Amino acid sequence: MRLDNPRIVTAKHPNMGNLVGVTNGSRDLSDSRYLSSIDIRDDDDREIRTFKTIIQCLTKENDCLKRENRRLMKIYREIGGLCRT
């Protein structure tokens, strides 16, 4: 299945834990084409544990980058408003 505008969305579900989904541009987890829980369970083998750990690290880094991007955009807008004549 080809995704034209892939977007990764994360959510915390009360029964399934932390979820990661890949959508075709939507920000809603219910529109996910691929959905996976990233909580590590006792019965996961080493490969699955490694995979889920990597995804957890990437989602945390993605959240930090989103916050940093919002902060920089806010500064850019403030500076842009001062520089206009």
Side-chain angles (χ1 to χ4, degrees):
M1 179 182 305
R2 182 169 180 253
L3 297 174
D4 296 324
N5 185 19
R7 179 182 296 268
I8 296 173
V9 292
T10 58
K12 187 170 222 132
H13 191 274
N15 298 330
M16 297 190 294
N18 295 317
L19 298 175
V20 172
V22 179
T23 66
N24 197 7
S26 174
R27 295 178 190 264
D28 192 10
L29 191 67
S30 63
D31 296 333
S32 294
R33 302 284 176 104
Y34 306 101
L35 184 64
S36 177
S37 173
I38 58 171
D39 289 334
I40 298 173
R41 300 185 332 215
D42 293 335
D43 59 343
D44 289 340
D45 61 5
R46 188 183 335 166
E47 184 176 318
I48 299 295
R49 285 175 188 258
T50 304
F51 178 68
K52 288 182 176 182
T53 303
I54 290 170
I55 292 175
Q56 287 174 351
C57 291
L58 290 174
T59 55
K60 286 178 187 174
E61 183 177 342
N62 189 34
D63 290 340
C64 292
L65 290 173
K66 283 181 184 178
R67 282 193 298 272
E68 182 69 13
N69 190 31
R70 274 183 257 156
R71 186 184 72 78
L72 291 173
M73 288 302 294
K74 182 180 176 184
I75 292 170
Y76 175 77
R77 276 186 246 126
E78 291 172 359
I79 293 172
L82 294 175
C83 294
R84 294 185 185 147
T85 57

